[in-house]
Amino acid sequence: MRVISERQLGAVLSGLPGRPRVVAGGNFAAPARALAILDEALPEYRLFMLNAQDGLPDRDGVDLETPFVGVGMRGRDGLRYYPSRLSLVPNLLKELLPPDVVVMQTSVPSGGTVSLGIEVNILPAAIEAVRERGGLVIAQLNPRMPYTYGDAVLPLDEIDYAVESDEPLATPVPRPPSEVAREIGGRVARLVPEHATLQLGIGGVPDAVLASLPERKGLGVWSEMFSDGVLALEKAGALDTTTPITASFVFGSRELYDWVDHNERVRMLRTEKTNDPSLIARKPRMVSVNSALQVDLFAQANASRVRGVIYSGFGGQTDFVVGALHSPGGRAVIALPSWHPRADVSTVIPRLAGPVTSFQHSFIVSEQGTAAVWGHDATSQAQQLVDEVAHPSARDELREAGRELGFRLR
């Protein structure tokens, strides 16, 4: 690894031919300063990121690519969305979308290594793919990036160039859970047994579930990501101290970042490990909790699109639903409010009009109640969704629509 100035990095990047594909760390670990240098140096390039936040380049010549849309790419003209389970994104990079440059934010060097810190995710696969084609690996060294272990640890000789940038890590805006989210969280928490292994997705409902679990004991965490809710469980003594807390990326408060720094109980793994359904299935009593935008009477979930337009993507939901269903004592839970207040519509609908994100769940939960769908016949599933999950104002219409779809609903 050669540490160079920003001006020198700009000169290196300006010599790249054609329209290179740049893979950059996403979520709340985007290497903002390095990307700004790159954007100034390259007239045209393709930028591949997962769950990108605000502040991305917005100009002609930059093509945005992603399998999971964050607020920084959502609604952008020309966005190229690549449908993919998160566990398979590394294969995309190795086989079909090979990178020319990888840009990431890391810790400062320690013992001949740096750490990818709070964002491991697809970066190890991207580095391997770019190495195969003789591309560049660039690090933005930040003393505020936590040093985490597992696949986060990277030898210095894997990096070509580095620039130094001391800047605070991005943190999400704290949003206290709504009353509806707290009610859903309590209902889902009742489905979590002692000594369960947890995976929770992103959003207010998964956060509310964690907030409802401090009285549990012996819980484990095997998840694509976690946030401050896991730290709260640690403080409450709810986590099994003999089991590593395993994830692929982290975002949250500065207190959370301080906690994961040099914490040997936190093991950060590459996404093709954390999201491998066969590895997930080995965890006993795996409880996967994910949210959705809509569910239908066939117990199918849409977590990707709004009115047919891509909103986010598959993410790891499908990986964990499959893994949890194969886990001994495992449960796959979809949790969502029964009514969308902004759109003023029911989130339980007769039949999804667009692509399905996941299906065949154990339970579907709203603030109204819980539908136990796994192991029940199709009509019973639909009946429970109408009676227990749907908003009362939508139930009569759903019953009528369900009968037209062939369900023998009461």
Side-chain angles (χ1 to χ4, degrees), residues 97-184:
L97 304 175
D100 302 289
V101 183
V102 175
V103 186
M104 59 204 177
Q105 189 169 195
T106 74
S107 72
V108 295
S110 174
T113 64
V114 294
S115 174
L116 294 169
I118 62 172
E119 178 78 6
V120 176
N121 216 333
I122 61 168
L123 290 173
I127 292 168
E128 291 168 0
V130 82
R131 281 280 174 237
E132 283 192 12
R133 57 195 282 116
L136 292 176
V137 178
I138 297 167
Q140 176 180 309
L141 306 177
N142 187 350
R144 307 194 197 205
M145 175 65 81
Y147 195 103
T148 60
Y149 300 108
D151 293 332
V153 178
L154 193 67
L156 296 183
D157 59 11
E158 291 289 333
I159 301 168
D160 296 301
Y161 299 103
V163 291
E164 297 173 317
S165 180
D166 185 344
E167 58 187 40
L169 292 174
T171 59
V173 177
R175 290 190 177 90
S178 65
E179 184 177 340
V180 167
R182 286 195 294 269
E183 179 64 29
I184 297 170

Side-chain angles (χ1 to χ4, degrees), residues 38-45 57-63 76:
L38 181 142
D39 186 60
E40 187 174 339
L42 293 175
E44 296 182 334
Y45 62 98
D58 188 6
R59 64 172 177 84
D60 291 339
V62 181
D63 294 330
R76 297 276 285 270

